[in-house]
Amino acid sequence: QVQLVESGGGLVQAGGSLRLSCAASGFTLGYYAIGWFRQAPGKEREGVACIGSNKLDYADSVKGRFTISEDNAKNMVYLEMNSLKPEDTAAYYCAADKNPFRCHGSWRIYGMDYWGEGTQVTVSS
């Protein structure tokens, strides 16, 4: 049974940093694509970052500020977020896809197969 559990969200001032973690279980991390998505109240879900099959992909809005990484030995995925802005405020979700090449395609539009419950990130101005 695939499970994804996010942690690390919280309240931070603009310009600050946070690291989100996603604990994955029920599958082998290296064989899946993993993505981080976010959704703010009243806004569409946005694909933030994706990692899989030696491919990294980021939304333009976070390029140069966010870094996605994974630790296959620990079955953990991370999202390092720096230079945070108030517009980064959202619920952040970890997601997994059975297609390891998912990051090469329209992952931002079609989403992924499995989702966590999310963790809230609030950036104050």
Side-chain angles (χ1 to χ4, degrees):
Q1 181 182 355
V2 172
Q3 282 194 315
L4 301 162
V5 180
E6 304 94 335
S7 61
L11 174 63
V12 65
Q13 286 191 327
S17 298
L18 277 176
R19 188 177 81 156
L20 304 184
S21 299
C22 174
S25 60
F27 66 101
T28 302
L29 200 57
Y31 294 110
Y32 281 59
I34 304 295
W36 283 98
F37 294 77
R38 66 186 180 187
Q39 189 164 21
K43 293 191 175 182
E44 297 276 322
R45 184 185 67 199
E46 179 186 18
V48 173
C50 189
I51 183 169
S53 189
N54 296 317
K55 171 74 174 179
L56 300 178
D57 196 27
Y58 296 94
D60 288 343
S61 58
V62 306
K63 276 181 184 174
R65 300 189 298 124
F66 290 13
T67 303
I68 188 171
S69 63
E70 60 184 6
D71 184 333
N72 289 348
K74 296 181 179 179
N75 244 34
M76 294 289 295
V77 182
Y78 305 100
L79 185 68
E80 188 74 37
M81 306 186 295
N82 298 313
S83 303
L84 282 162
K85 305 175 182 180
E87 51 264 43
D88 294 318
T89 295
Y92 282 71
Y93 299 89
C94 176
D97 198 279
K98 290 176 286 187
N99 179 1
F101 300 98
R102 202 74 176 88
C103 301
H104 296 257
S106 305
W107 61 277
R108 292 192 203 89
I109 298 173
Y110 297 112
M112 293 190 171
D113 295 323
Y114 304 99
W115 296 84
E117 294 292 318
T119 185
Q120 179 67 34
V121 172
T122 302
V123 184
S124 64
S125 57

